[in-house]
Amino acid sequence: MTALRREDVPPEMQAWIDEQMKHFTPADLEPAVRLMRQYARKSRAQNREAAA
């Protein structure tokens, strides 16, 4: 899956995204990032165990 680039997003959708981003700060995302990293560590550990 490839990430969307800004030029791939229609202008009206980009305007909506920009408006939504005004309501968030990086600190709002920290809990989600921690959870995703925890999930990734657990997944890697399970993969190592399965390969052993």
Side-chain angles (χ1 to χ4, degrees), residues 5 7 11 13-14 16-17 22-24 26 29 31-34 36-39 42 45 52:
R5 296 180 312 246
E7 57 268 12
M13 179 168 277
Q14 187 61 53
W16 181 84
I17 292 169
K22 292 177 186 176
H23 304 287
F24 293 95
L29 299 176
V33 170
R34 270 195 304 274
M36 290 188 321
R37 287 180 178 160
Q38 179 183 0
Y39 175 79
K42 188 174 183 179

Side-chain angles (χ1 to χ4, degrees), residues 6 9-22:
R6 191 175 187 102
V9 178
E12 51 280 350
M13 179 168 277
Q14 187 61 53
W16 181 84
I17 292 169
D18 292 342
E19 187 62 32
Q20 299 307 308
M21 291 302 292
K22 292 177 186 176

